[in-house]
Amino acid sequence: MGEPKPRVSGASSSTDSYSTPSASPTPTPAPRQPVTLLEPSHQHKKKGKKVFRVFRSVFRSFPIITPAACKIPVLPGGSLPDQHRSGSSGSRVSGTLFGYRKGRVSLSIQENSKCFPSLVVELAMQTMVLQKELSGGMVRIALETEKRADKEKVKIMDEPLWTMYCNGKKTGYGVKRDATEEDLNVMELLRPVSMGAGPDSEMAYMRAYFERVVGSKDSETFYMLSPEGNNGPELSIFFVRV
């Protein structure tokens, strides 16, 4: 990866893996940074912010649940896309998974590391749990919402609430939200990093390029792109309406 790792809070680290930080006191916000992020070249109009805030306030308090294993929802075509399938076409974006050691993981999608996030989703999974899943080598996250007639004009990435599955197990609800001041602070601190991972005394992060593939109006997938020759974990994130 070869790029300097910024400090997300108070302690420094030289690790190159998305691993669990050492024990630390109650999390404190990272130092505020001046925001120099740029607007994406294709900035989407944000609609229904008030509705998103209501969903966030209600569902972020839901417990993270891990019932018995269940199947990942069937995607269009009846199977999961092949990450290495020849002929697939998509656009490359920057994706960041970050979260406090004992808190939930958030996913931020940016046009590139220098832009404001175009999507932020609070996932139904704790940071330490995701770290453990990533150590297994392959992680498939499916975010599913229902397909209804009154949703036909809503873009799939504008859905406010998702049922989340990780490697076939239902974990709870993912919630789309507007980027908070804290989110922007993290993105600003990580601005010099295009690809990298590491823990801090309170927060862990993993940033990589993702290939965004639009299957239909009801499915979009983000495949993490690893540097050539890197044997790191494989990560795929599916957004589907079923």
Side-chain angles (χ1 to χ4, degrees):
M1 307 199 213
E3 301 189 30
K5 297 183 179 68
R7 294 176 55 168
V8 182
S9 56
S12 60
S13 171
S14 60
T15 183
D16 288 327
S17 63
Y18 191 64
S19 56
T20 305
S22 58
S24 61
T26 302
T28 55
R32 181 176 299 179
Q33 300 292 314
V35 177
T36 61
L37 299 171
L38 306 174
E39 291 290 345
S41 59
H42 300 289
Q43 180 65 34
H44 297 290
K45 294 181 180 179
K46 295 184 178 180
K47 300 179 181 180
K49 290 184 179 180
K50 185 174 181 180
V51 175
F52 292 163
R53 292 193 190 101
V54 172
F55 273 108
R56 181 181 63 189
S57 64
V58 173
F59 288 100
R60 74 179 304 170
S61 61
F62 278 21
I64 296 177
I65 56 176
T66 54
C70 58
K71 295 181 179 179
I72 291 179
V74 177
L75 302 181
S79 61
L80 294 170
D82 181 357
Q83 182 173 356
H84 306 291
R85 181 180 53 198
S86 61
S88 64
S89 60
S91 58
R92 192 174 76 165
V93 297
S94 178
T96 308
L97 292 159
F98 62 99
Y100 286 111
R101 197 168 52 86
K102 294 184 179 180
R104 295 191 181 193
V105 179
S106 292
L107 167 68
S108 171
I109 298 294
Q110 299 165 275
E111 186 176 292
N112 58 62
S113 62
K114 298 177 177 61
C115 290
F116 282 98
S118 56
L119 174 70
V120 178
V121 179
E122 185 174 305
L123 302 178
M125 177 172 284
Q126 291 184 341
T127 303
M128 292 187 292
V129 176
L130 179 59
Q131 291 170 335
K132 183 178 179 180
E133 292 288 345
L134 286 168
S135 68
M138 182 178 69
V139 176
R140 284 174 169 168
I141 294 174
L143 294 163
E144 174 194 309
T145 187
E146 290 184 9
K147 185 189 297 184
R148 298 199 310 264
D150 59 345
K151 286 184 168 185
E152 287 185 356
K153 295 183 179 180
V154 177
K155 294 181 179 179
I156 188 167
M157 305 309 291
D158 288 338
E159 294 282 0
L161 181 69
W162 308 85
T163 301
M164 178 174 159
Y165 299 84
C166 181
N167 288 344
K169 295 181 180 180
K170 184 178 178 181
T171 60
Y173 298 95
V175 183
K176 178 180 175 178
R177 56 179 169 81
D178 297 328
T180 64
E181 182 177 344
E182 186 174 16
D183 296 333
L184 296 178
N185 193 37
V186 173
M187 296 304 104
E188 190 67 46
L189 287 166
L190 295 178
R191 179 172 174 162
V193 179
S194 58
M195 301 186 77
D200 198 75
S201 61
E202 297 165 2
M203 181 176 284
Y205 74 91
M206 183 177 73
R207 167 169 283 181
Y209 290 118
F210 285 76
E211 181 183 16
R212 177 191 177 210
V213 178
V214 179
S216 70
K217 66 178 182 179
D218 294 319
S219 69
E220 289 193 22
T221 306
F222 294 85
Y223 298 109
M224 187 172 73
L225 304 175
S226 298
E228 187 174 353
N230 186 296
N231 294 320
E234 292 186 16
L235 172 64
S236 303
I237 303 174
F238 305 91
F239 290 83
V240 293
R241 275 193 291 232
V242 295

